[in-house]
Amino acid sequence: RTGIDIASPYTQNYQRTDITPDTAVPLMSNPSVIKDVSKGWYDAGDKGKYVNAGAKALSDLFWAYELMPEKFADNQFNIPESGNGIPDLLDEARWELEWMLKMQDAASGGFYARVTFQDDDALTDREVIDADTVSPRTDIKTTADTATAAAILAHAYLIYQNIDPVFAQSCLDAAESAWGYLEAHPELIKTPNTGRWPYDVTDDTANRIWAAGSLYRTTGEAKYNTYFEANYTKMGKFFEDPLDFASGWENTWNTGFFSYLKAANPNPQIVSWYASKFQQWFDDKAVRIDESPWRSVVKDGNYYWGITMQIADTPMEMIIGTKLLGTFDSHLPVLQEMVYSQLDWILGRNPVGTSFVSGYGERSVKYPFSTIYRTDNLAGVPKGYLVGGPNKYSNDVTIGNQISRFAAKNYTDNFQEWTTNEHTIYWNSGLVFVAAFATGTGSGGGTNSTISPTTAAFDKK
C-alpha cells in the first residue's frame, strides 16, 4: 500500500513510514495543477502506480471473489479494516480503487496513466505523468488506461453495490464518464513517452472490448452491446496465436468476454462464437502441458518478462471461462492438472529448482528486484512476492551478459535484476486466484479427486 504507514500490528519485521502520501502531486505538463492521488498500491519493483496494471490486478481478485466467495472472509489478512464485516480482500481492493478514481480528469472523463518518481531511488520529481519528454504532447489521457479503468470500475459497482451503495455508484459514474471519453476519442492515444514506455499498447481495441463488456453487464445499455457486436471478431487472433497464453494487462480479450457472458442478454451468436474460440484456446493449453517435460504451458522456450504471470493466469482464465460457459464439470480433470502442475512449476518444480514466491519453499527467491527492499536496510523481504522468472531476453547486470543459453534457465535471484526478478501486483493477483482454487473443496475451488503422484507428494509437503 501507499499513502499509509506500515506499522505494527500489521507487520512485525518490515515497518515502513510512508514515503508517497501523494496528497498533492503536480501534473507533469503543468506543475501549477496539483492533484490528490493518494492511496493505491505500488505496482512493481518501482514506486509507480499505474492504472491499467492496477485494473488487471483488481479484475483477477474480483473474479476470484465472484467464483469462490467462500475463500475470502473478514479478519483474514490482518489489515486495518479487518473486523468491519467486509471480506478483507474487498477492503484491500478498495484501497486501489479509491486511488484509481482520483486519476480521472473530471472535465473529459479520461484517465491519466500513472504517477511516478522520475528517479525512484533518489525520490525526485513525483508527478502525475501526462506529457512526453520527446515531443510536445501534453495533458495526455490515454485511451487504453481509460478503457481498463472503465471496465474495472463498472465491475466494482457490482461487487460493492450491496456493501457501500454510494461508493459503488461513484465507480459506475466514473466508468460511464470514461466511456464518454472513449466515444469522443476513437483513435488510439498512447501513453506518455518519458524515455520509458511502461504499459503501452499498440492497439486499444481489446481494452475497449473489456470496457464495453463490463459496462453492458452492469448497465444493460444497448450502446455497449452495439460496440461489442461491432468489434468482438477482432479478438479472434488472440485465440489462434500458437505461442500466446492468457489475456494479461495489454490485450484484455478473454476478460472482455467474461464480462459479456455475465450480461443479462448477451448476443447468442457472440456466445457461440466465443465458446468455439475458447475451446480451441483451452485445448491448445491442455496439449502444451502434456508435451512439456516440466508440465508447463510454456511452448518452444517462449520465456519472457513476467512469464510466471502467464503460468498462473492461463489456468485462471481456463477456470473462469469454463465456469461461465457451463463446461466446468466436464473439464474438471484437465483443470485440476493444469492448476496443480502450474503451481508446482511456480513453487519449485522447474529447471532452476527455485520457488519464485518469496518465503515459500526451501529454495525460494530471496532478492526480488525492489526499490523498497533493497534500500530499507532490513534483512530479507516479506513472504509472498511472485517474481517474473526465466526470461530469454534477460541481461544480468551483475555479469553483463545473458545468464544462460537455455531459455528456461535464464534466471538469477538478484536485487538489481529486474528482467527476471521483479514483482508486480498483477502477477500476484493471478497467484491469489489459482492458490484459492487449489485450497480444497468449495463452490468454485478444487476437489480431492485423483491427481498426479508428483502433485500429491507436493501437496503433502
Side-chain angles (χ1 to χ4, degrees):
R1 285 191 185 190
T2 75
I4 187 173
D5 291 342
I6 308 298
S8 179
Y10 309 111
T11 182
Q12 286 73 50
N13 300 313
Y14 298 97
Q15 291 86 354
R16 185 176 73 245
T17 301
D18 182 43
I19 56 175
T20 55
D22 287 346
T23 54
V25 180
L27 281 181
M28 182 179 176
S29 67
N30 185 355
S32 67
V33 177
I34 304 297
K35 290 183 67 68
D36 176 0
V37 287
S38 56
K39 297 191 175 183
W41 302 325
Y42 290 134
D43 169 61
D46 62 355
K47 299 184 181 74
K49 301 188 287 191
Y50 303 83
V51 169
N52 55 6
K56 193 276 182 196
L58 288 166
S59 178
D60 296 346
L61 300 182
F62 285 169
W63 282 112
Y65 179 74
E66 283 204 68
L67 296 183
M68 300 172 282
E70 74 282 356
K71 302 294 180 73
F72 303 101
D74 189 21
N75 274 318
Q76 187 175 17
F77 296 138
N78 186 32
I79 59 176
E81 296 82 2
S82 293
N84 66 359
I86 299 168
D88 286 356
L89 183 82
L90 301 186
D91 285 322
E92 190 60 50
R94 181 166 174 167
W95 192 268
E96 177 79 347
L97 287 164
E98 290 182 351
W99 162 74
M100 191 176 294
L101 288 167
K102 297 170 185 177
M103 293 295 285
Q104 187 171 36
D105 172 48
S108 67
F111 276 74
Y112 298 108
R114 60 192 189 269
V115 52
T116 68
F117 288 115
Q118 296 291 29
D119 185 329
D120 275 313
D121 285 333
L123 306 182
T124 57
D125 296 328
R126 187 73 168 172
E127 296 170 318
V128 176
I129 307 299
D130 73 325
D132 284 349
T133 57
V134 296
S135 84
R137 287 197 314 158
T138 60
D139 197 28
I140 301 166
K141 282 86 67 174
T142 82
T143 49
D145 289 280
T146 299
T148 55
I152 200 60
L153 289 167
H155 196 166
Y157 172 82
L158 299 173
I159 297 291
Y160 294 93
Q161 61 179 329
N162 295 323
I163 296 173
D164 186 339
V166 174
F167 173 69
Q169 189 62 50
S170 71
C171 291
L172 182 55
D173 290 345
E176 293 180 312
S177 178
W179 185 264
Y181 180 82
L182 296 173
E183 289 181 313
H185 295 280
E187 76 280 11
L188 170 67
I189 300 178
K190 293 173 69 67
T191 195
N193 182 358
T194 58
R196 298 183 300 174
W197 289 81
Y199 304 124
D200 197 19
V201 304
T202 56
D203 183 346
D204 63 7
T205 307
N207 310 124
R208 293 176 187 254
I209 279 285
W210 182 21
S214 187
L215 279 160
Y216 183 54
R217 176 192 177 188
T218 301
T219 70
E221 290 189 26
K223 63 180 179 180
Y224 304 120
N225 188 44
T226 298
Y227 182 88
F228 207 96
E229 289 177 331
N231 292 279
Y232 76 93
T233 58
K234 296 176 183 177
M235 302 298 100
K237 60 185 178 181
F238 297 115
F239 299 95
E240 298 158 6
D241 187 324
L243 292 177
D244 214 342
F245 295 93
S247 295
W249 60 265
E250 179 181 10
N251 294 312
T252 52
W253 38 285
N254 263 338
T255 322
F257 283 100
F258 294 159
S259 294
Y260 188 80
L261 289 173
K262 291 283 283 184
N265 295 295
N267 183 321
Q269 180 178 336
I270 295 177
V271 175
S272 177
W273 181 92
Y274 177 69
S276 175
K277 292 292 185 183
F278 179 84
Q279 190 62 53
Q280 174 186 357
W281 175 82
F282 184 103
D283 291 343
D284 173 70
K285 306 306 170 285
V287 168
R288 288 188 191 186
I289 64 168
D290 283 340
E291 294 179 344
S292 167
W294 296 100
R295 309 295 290 168
S296 164
V297 295
V298 179
K299 184 177 180 180
D300 297 343
N302 191 32
Y303 294 87
Y304 52 81
W305 183 74
I307 197 63
T308 54
M309 178 191 79
Q310 297 293 1
I311 290 171
D313 283 7
T314 299
M316 176 183 72
E317 294 194 354
M318 293 170 78
I319 293 164
I320 298 171
T322 54
K323 279 283 186 179
L324 299 180
L325 290 167
T327 60
F328 175 81
D329 290 342
S330 62
H331 288 94
L332 184 55
V334 174
L335 290 169
Q336 285 184 299
E337 172 61 20
M338 178 64 74
V339 167
Y340 289 116
S341 62
Q342 302 320 289
L343 277 174
D344 283 352
W345 193 97
I346 288 171
L347 292 168
R349 196 178 73 182
N350 56 56
V352 292
T354 298
S355 168
F356 296 119
V357 185
S358 63
Y360 288 88
E362 293 178 5
R363 291 187 57 187
S364 61
V365 59
K366 292 180 172 57
Y367 306 105
F369 173 87
S370 169
T371 59
I372 294 174
Y373 298 114
R374 75 168 185 255
T375 58
D376 66 359
N377 297 316
L378 298 174
V381 296
K383 295 172 63 175
Y385 280 106
L386 174 63
V387 300
N391 176 3
K392 65 182 179 181
Y393 306 107
S394 67
N395 188 46
D396 184 350
V397 296
T398 64
I399 59 177
N401 52 37
Q402 194 177 45
I403 301 162
S404 170
R405 64 190 180 93
F406 299 105
K409 302 187 80 169
N410 224 33
Y411 170 79
T412 189
D413 184 9
N414 186 296
F415 260 143
Q416 296 183 317
E417 224 303 277
W418 70 269
T419 64
T420 68
N421 223 38
E422 192 167 12
H423 59 85
T424 79
I425 53 174
Y426 60 89
W427 298 346
N428 263 86
S429 56
L431 180 61
V432 167
F433 186 104
V434 293
F437 180 88
T439 54
T441 57
S443 64
T447 71
N448 294 321
S449 308
T450 301
I451 52 180
S452 71
T454 303
T455 305
F458 180 83
D459 274 356
K460 291 174 184 175
K461 284 185 180 179

